[in-house]
Amino acid sequence: MNIYVIGVGLIGGSIALDAKDLNPDAKIFGIDSNEKHLQEAKKLGVIDEAATFEDLSKADFVIVSVPVDTAIVVLPTVLDLISDSAIVFDVGSTKAPICEAVAGHPKRRNFIATHPIAGTEFSGPSAAIRGLFQGKTNIICEVEKTTFKLQEKALDLFKNIGMRIRYMDPKSHDKHIAYVSHLSHISSFMLGKTVINKEKDEQDIFDMAGSGFESTVRLAKSSPAMWTPIFKQNKKQVIKTLEEYISNLSKFKELMLNDDYDAIYHEMESVNRIKEILNGMNAKK
Amino acid sequence: MNIYVIGVGLIGGSIALDAKDLNPDAKIFGIDSNEKHLQEAKKLGVIDEAATFEDLSKADFVIVSVPVDTAIVVLPTVLDLISDSAIVFDVGSTKAPICEAVAGHPKRRNFIATHPIAGTEFSGPSAAIRGLFQGKTNIICEVEKTTFKLQEKALDLFKNIGMRIRYMDPKSHDKHIAYVSHLSHISSFMLGKTVINKEKDEQDIFDMAGSGFESTVRLAKSSPAMWTPIFKQNKKQVIKTLEEYISNLSKFKELMLNDDYDAIYHEMESVNRIKEILNGMNAKK
């Protein structure tokens, strides 16, 4: 079995590691525009060999794990090059633009649109880790547009690396994910910005910041190369969530200006049920 | 040695556990307006015995670990009741109002104002854990206003439970802490609110939220009873940080509306150095 990973970073590399463990006889090929990443991935054992697009005709699996703006360009080309029996999937955090990019392609049925909700704030081949997907959710869009046999092949891989499968239409995916992922990243980046701008003397941050600050700004370590195109492709939904977030923050500020601390107490108390929501999340993992 | 803990919750309880380990002969007394918490703390071994304010004359150490609005009321009373050789400290997240509350007290020199930057999002006696303060920072304000011998007694305890000491004036403390702690809590609470309000069907959150969301909303589990008075006492500084945060979020939204994705990339890239800041933080721990 030949597995091609286009983009040997955190997600592509982690799938490669798990796929190799599951199929020791499989050969993992890496394709990446960054030659240094390719060499690093080979050295780390994330891939067996570097390859090029011309080799894709030999692929059984193609995993497209590149920033979402690159994905919409690369995917039609990949579909042009593969054999009839190959299955291609992407892992991007936006689904509508990606599904649109391949909608009319003659090999559309060889593609399955996926979003594994997994990751860390790190990037590149050295960020790839075994078991990243264990207990995580993989959201699959437009499953009915993929050949049944190839669906099965992809789903087997996802299940074997430990993922729960959820089906969703691309627009619903993009709408919900703006709330539970894209907005978190912006809130974290802007929190980091606010503090860095103020605290020119970083020593003050070092000394006074605790684990709470660390937790809320963790996502501000994320890759701008990955996130800029996500915000661009999901512009409408992201702006909507951002407006609601800003409005809630402004209302909180108004309550403080009006010394309405009873209302502030109740605001916080009603959000406290995020505890049960998060516990429910973890219970399922 | 008699140690009195007023407020047997996360912080007071955790200090009690470490103090007892360090001084097995010490007797730990608990005072709390919540009778259930007192019983629970005794059952859990967080305190040896329940006590009342009348007993404070026998205290060597008094730890006031109650919400900051209660602290400013309780502290002068505690100082009225203690002996000349007792040392009293608070652990609140605001320092100027607390220092003001005891400024003119005849026993001011028996008090030391502290803020251990440690905690979790949980509260109550069952949240108390051993080793919570290991490698954490304790910010001490107006140290010169405490009798030298009693300073030493308190500092020995802080060092023995593993804390680094930093000295700061109360106003600077309240200004900086608004950025690195109070703002994080509001950003987290309002993020939780925005998502909960939108996602009435919680199942969608369960299924799509990943570890990133979990990290950014963790602080939204915090206790409203603890945080409301903090925001009230640090109103001016908190509103200032909140305004700057809202302004940064609004600018980000404007960049998105103008499709200025180059600027968005650079915004995120420049905040990425939070990585080194956080690494510096952890290296010191």
Side-chain angles (χ1 to χ4, degrees):
Chain A
M1 183 162 60
N2 293 326
I3 301 178
Y4 282 75
V5 180
I6 305 180
V8 291
L10 164 66
I11 300 295
S14 297
I15 298 176
L17 288 171
D18 283 351
K20 182 77 177 184
D21 285 350
L22 285 166
N23 311 283
D25 296 337
K27 199 150 185 189
I28 315 276
F29 296 92
I31 299 178
D32 204 302
S33 58
N34 183 329
E35 185 59 33
K36 247 172 81 183
H37 275 186
L38 265 186
Q39 298 308 324
E40 198 185 347
K42 197 174 164 182
K43 212 172 138 191
L44 292 166
V46 170
I47 59 168
D48 295 315
E49 268 183 47
T52 64
F53 274 72
E54 284 71 46
D55 307 322
L56 285 176
S57 60
K58 291 177 287 175
D60 297 296
F61 272 96
V62 184
I63 301 153
V64 177
S65 45
V66 294
V68 291
D69 55 341
T70 310
I72 57 174
V73 179
V74 158
L75 277 170
T77 310
V78 170
L79 291 177
D80 289 344
L81 295 167
I82 54 162
S83 77
D84 285 341
S85 61
I87 173 78
V88 178
F89 65 90
D90 84 304
V91 297
S93 190
T94 54
K95 293 269 69 71
I98 282 166
C99 288
E100 273 162 37
V102 297
H105 198 283
K107 287 233 181 71
R108 172 65 184 86
R109 297 182 66 78
N110 291 68
F111 171 71
I112 185 161
T114 83
H115 181 195
I117 313 277
T120 68
E121 66 275 30
F122 306 111
S123 48
S126 63
I129 47 175
R130 286 184 166 78
L132 178 65
F133 306 100
Q134 198 62 51
K136 304 292 168 61
T137 301
N138 198 3
I139 297 172
I140 294 182
C141 294
E142 298 187 338
V143 68
E144 69 287 354
K145 298 198 175 169
T146 310
T147 304
F148 185 67
K149 273 203 172 170
L150 295 178
Q151 277 179 36
E152 262 192 324
K153 226 170 123 175
L155 290 175
D156 278 349
L157 175 66
F158 301 145
K159 284 176 189 164
N160 289 335
I161 66 177
M163 303 199 86
R164 303 189 296 136
I165 308 297
R166 289 291 177 272
Y167 299 98
M168 203 173 269
D169 70 278
K171 286 199 173 161
S172 299
H173 169 277
D174 291 3
K175 188 185 137 192
H176 292 307
I177 206 74
Y179 283 93
V180 294
S181 166
H182 302 176
L183 179 60
S184 290
H185 282 79
I186 298 174
S187 87
S188 197
F189 269 108
M190 291 303 100
L191 182 68
K193 181 182 172 180
T194 306
V195 177
I196 287 176
N197 278 4
K198 196 64 195 180
E199 303 285 345
K200 306 286 182 211
D201 175 10
E202 286 175 16
Q203 193 58 39
D204 287 337
I205 305 180
F206 296 164
D207 284 350
M208 300 189 71
S211 57
F213 178 67
E214 205 168 350
S215 177
T216 40
V217 295
R218 182 170 71 84
L219 298 180
K221 302 181 196 170
S222 304
S223 156
M226 174 182 163
W227 280 94
T228 306
I230 291 172
F231 296 143
K232 189 174 174 180
Q233 286 191 3
N234 208 20
K235 176 181 172 180
K236 211 180 119 188
Q237 295 296 339
V238 170
I239 288 177
K240 197 163 162 284
T241 65
L242 202 43
E243 278 169 350
E244 290 169 20
Y245 184 50
I246 292 169
S247 156
N248 284 328
L249 287 162
S250 301
K251 277 180 217 153
F252 193 96
K253 196 190 85 179
E254 286 305 310
L255 293 177
M256 285 197 62
L257 283 168
N258 297 334
D259 294 313
D260 192 349
Y261 295 103
D262 282 348
I264 284 177
Y265 182 98
H266 291 299
E267 281 275 283
M268 291 194 279
E269 196 183 34
S270 72
V271 182
N272 268 171
R273 75 187 175 86
I274 201 82
K275 265 182 224 171
E276 285 78 51
I277 297 178
L278 294 176
N279 284 345
M281 241 173 81
N282 289 326
K284 289 204 177 182
K285 278 178 187 164
Chain B
M1 184 161 58
N2 293 327
I3 302 177
Y4 282 74
V5 180
I6 306 180
V8 292
L10 164 67
I11 299 296
S14 297
I15 298 176
L17 287 171
D18 283 352
K20 182 77 177 184
D21 286 349
L22 285 165
N23 310 284
D25 296 337
K27 199 149 186 188
I28 315 277
F29 296 91
I31 298 177
D32 205 302
S33 57
N34 183 329
E35 186 59 33
K36 246 172 84 182
H37 276 187
L38 265 186
Q39 297 311 324
E40 197 184 347
K42 197 174 166 184
K43 212 173 140 190
L44 291 166
V46 169
I47 59 168
D48 295 315
E49 270 184 45
T52 64
F53 274 71
E54 284 69 48
D55 308 320
L56 285 174
S57 61
K58 293 176 287 176
D60 297 296
F61 272 96
V62 184
I63 302 154
V64 177
S65 45
V66 294
V68 292
D69 55 340
T70 309
I72 58 174
V73 179
V74 158
L75 277 170
T77 310
V78 170
L79 291 176
D80 289 344
L81 295 168
I82 54 163
S83 77
D84 283 342
S85 61
I87 173 75
V88 177
F89 65 90
D90 84 305
V91 297
S93 190
T94 54
K95 293 270 72 71
I98 282 165
C99 287
E100 274 161 37
V102 297
H105 197 283
K107 287 233 180 74
R108 171 64 183 88
R109 296 181 68 75
N110 290 66
F111 172 70
I112 185 162
T114 82
H115 180 195
I117 314 277
T120 68
E121 65 274 31
F122 306 111
S123 49
S126 62
I129 46 176
R130 287 185 165 78
L132 178 65
F133 306 99
Q134 196 63 48
K136 304 292 168 60
T137 301
N138 197 2
I139 298 173
I140 293 181
C141 294
E142 299 188 336
V143 68
E144 69 287 353
K145 298 199 175 166
T146 310
T147 305
F148 185 68
K149 274 204 171 167
L150 295 177
Q151 276 179 40
E152 262 190 325
K153 225 170 126 177
L155 290 175
D156 278 350
L157 174 66
F158 302 146
K159 285 175 189 163
N160 289 335
I161 65 175
M163 304 199 85
R164 305 186 296 135
I165 308 296
R166 290 291 177 272
Y167 299 97
M168 204 173 269
D169 70 278
K171 285 198 174 163
S172 299
H173 168 277
D174 291 2
K175 187 186 138 192
H176 292 306
I177 207 74
Y179 283 94
V180 295
S181 167
H182 303 176
L183 179 59
S184 292
H185 283 79
I186 298 174
S187 86
S188 198
F189 269 108
M190 291 302 103
L191 182 68
K193 180 182 174 181
T194 306
V195 177
I196 288 176
N197 278 4
K198 196 64 194 181
E199 305 283 347
K200 306 285 181 210
D201 175 10
E202 286 175 16
Q203 193 59 38
D204 287 335
I205 306 181
F206 297 164
D207 284 350
M208 299 189 72
S211 57
F213 177 66
E214 206 169 350
S215 176
T216 39
V217 296
R218 182 170 71 84
L219 298 180
K221 301 181 199 170
S222 304
S223 154
M226 174 181 164
W227 281 94
T228 305
I230 292 172
F231 296 143
K232 187 173 175 180
Q233 287 191 2
N234 208 20
K235 175 181 175 181
K236 210 179 121 188
Q237 295 296 339
V238 170
I239 288 177
K240 196 163 163 284
T241 65
L242 202 43
E243 278 170 351
E244 289 168 20
Y245 184 50
I246 292 169
S247 155
N248 285 327
L249 287 163
S250 301
K251 278 181 215 152
F252 193 94
K253 195 190 85 179
E254 285 305 310
L255 293 177
M256 284 197 63
L257 283 169
N258 298 332
D259 293 314
D260 192 350
Y261 295 102
D262 281 348
I264 283 177
Y265 182 99
H266 291 298
E267 281 275 283
M268 290 194 278
E269 196 182 33
S270 72
V271 182
N272 269 170
R273 75 188 176 81
I274 201 84
K275 265 180 224 174
E276 286 77 50
I277 297 177
L278 294 176
N279 284 344
M281 241 173 80
N282 289 326
K284 289 205 176 178
K285 277 177 188 165

